[in-house]
Amino acid sequence: MILNTELEYKGNLFPSNITKYSKDVDVLHFSTSNNVILKLTVLRDSVLRFTYTTVGKFERDFSYAIDEDASRGYNHLEITDDEEKYVVTTSKLICHIHKSDLRISLYDAADNKIICEDELGFHWEESYELGGDIVKMSKAAQNGESYYGLGDKPEHLNLKGRRFENWATDSYAFGKHTDPIYKAIPFYTGLHNGKSYGIFFDNTFRTYFDFCSERRNVTSFWAQGGEMNYYFIYGPKMQDVVKNYTDLTGTPRITTIMGLRVPPM
């Protein structure tokens, strides 16, 4: 007879130490002892894709958000390691993957200064309500860092100190601080010390972004399901980040004269 029917609440779960590494051209796999795999794809010298699975294999790799004609290719790719970390180097970025817990640190290859680094990094929680995992990522906020993006939001330009639910909602007569509203673009840019980067969180589940709201020096994003799958895009100029992002996701096609509602000449 089953006496205890309560679900076991495990809370946040984390990757353990890396036990295996493999490379297939521009795709790197890092496997841990508790079945987590990080797939790091080098798309360009300044664009890296990070995808995590907690079940030892990945879902079918497909996205409506990515332009099939997006630019790919890099000038330099080198992978080295020491006792503590793997180091992936391109002509624009240096990426450290820590062997003990899979945390990521990203540096500018030109001056070796920090751009973005994991706080807790990737972690997850079992979703008893929806099934599967709630996938989470937390990043350490750099000194004086500010954040922009997520599409139309009735907020200040700098999103620091705010939390958002990214889910398209027909919110009638919305006012300042109303969230969510009608547009959901899971892309933001961070800016500090004259360096700008972007993160595009490619996940179709309901997603959330916290810009130092819950914890003063931590920025995080998470989704109610699916895989943790995000693109890191480096500038260092803001316009470079936006250019690389729009190359990745595609730009709107030029509309017709009728679409612009311009009277014919």
Side-chain angles (χ1 to χ4, degrees):
M1 179 183 294
I2 299 176
L3 299 178
N4 183 6
T5 59
E6 293 185 1
L7 293 170
E8 179 186 1
Y9 178 70
K10 298 180 180 179
N12 286 328
L13 302 170
F14 297 86
S16 55
N17 60 298
I18 296 175
T19 57
K20 182 181 178 182
Y21 157 74
S22 63
K23 177 179 180 292
D24 182 11
V25 189
D26 55 6
V27 180
L28 317 176
H29 287 88
F30 302 89
S31 304
T32 71
S33 59
N34 64 340
N35 224 26
V36 176
I37 302 175
L38 162 62
K39 180 169 67 174
L40 169 56
T41 306
V42 181
L43 298 173
R44 302 181 68 178
D45 288 301
S46 55
V47 182
L48 304 179
R49 179 188 180 190
F50 297 90
T51 313
Y52 298 80
T53 180
T54 63
V55 295
K57 62 180 181 179
F58 290 94
E59 299 173 0
R60 184 171 72 95
D61 192 8
F62 172 78
S63 172
Y64 287 106
I66 303 302
D67 188 345
E68 60 183 13
D69 296 322
S71 301
R72 294 194 64 160
Y74 45 84
N75 295 310
H76 176 72
L77 178 59
E78 179 184 0
I79 298 95
T80 59
D81 75 305
D82 56 33
E83 291 184 0
E84 297 182 351
K85 62 187 178 299
Y86 288 93
V87 181
V88 179
T89 304
T90 72
S91 64
K92 294 289 185 70
L93 290 168
I94 300 173
C95 176
H96 292 180
I97 301 102
H98 296 272
K99 292 183 175 181
S100 61
D101 53 14
L102 218 56
R103 285 185 302 115
I104 304 296
S105 301
L106 290 148
Y107 300 83
D108 188 326
D111 57 16
N112 207 35
K113 291 184 178 180
I114 190 71
I115 306 167
C116 181
E117 61 183 334
D118 286 355
E119 186 248 353
L120 293 176
F122 171 64
H123 51 293
W124 72 99
E125 179 182 353
E126 291 185 43
S127 175
Y128 297 133
E129 179 182 358
L130 302 175
D133 294 329
I134 301 169
V135 292
K136 308 176 183 181
M137 175 62 65
S138 63
K139 303 283 187 183
Q142 302 301 312
N143 186 38
E145 187 164 7
S146 52
Y147 303 94
Y148 310 91
L150 299 187
D152 298 352
K153 298 290 183 185
E155 291 287 345
H156 298 292
L157 184 62
N158 185 358
L159 304 178
K160 191 170 186 177
R162 301 291 295 166
R163 173 185 285 198
F164 300 94
E165 179 180 354
N166 217 48
W167 191 251
T169 303
D170 187 8
S171 183
Y172 175 72
F174 64 86
K176 188 175 182 180
H177 302 314
T178 300
D179 183 67
I181 57 173
Y182 56 86
K183 188 175 288 186
I185 299 178
F187 169 73
Y188 73 87
T189 58
L191 176 65
H192 66 88
N193 300 311
K195 298 181 184 295
S196 182
Y197 68 89
I199 287 182
F200 172 49
F201 185 19
D202 190 5
N203 183 300
T204 58
F205 282 74
R206 191 184 297 260
T207 58
Y208 301 84
F209 292 81
D210 185 299
F211 300 103
C212 306
S213 175
E214 180 179 352
R215 289 185 287 165
R216 185 179 181 86
N217 297 313
V218 177
T219 290
S220 56
F221 50 94
W222 63 98
Q224 290 185 336
E227 292 177 340
M228 173 53 63
N229 174 34
Y230 73 92
Y231 295 79
F232 181 86
I233 305 167
Y234 184 47
K237 296 180 180 179
M238 182 76 76
Q239 55 263 41
D240 297 328
V241 175
V242 175
K243 181 179 179 180
N244 285 330
Y245 167 69
T246 54
D247 175 77
L248 181 68
T249 59
T251 55
R253 296 182 182 274
I254 298 176
T255 188
T256 63
I257 294 295
M258 183 178 294
L260 292 173
R261 296 189 178 182
V262 176
M265 300 298 291

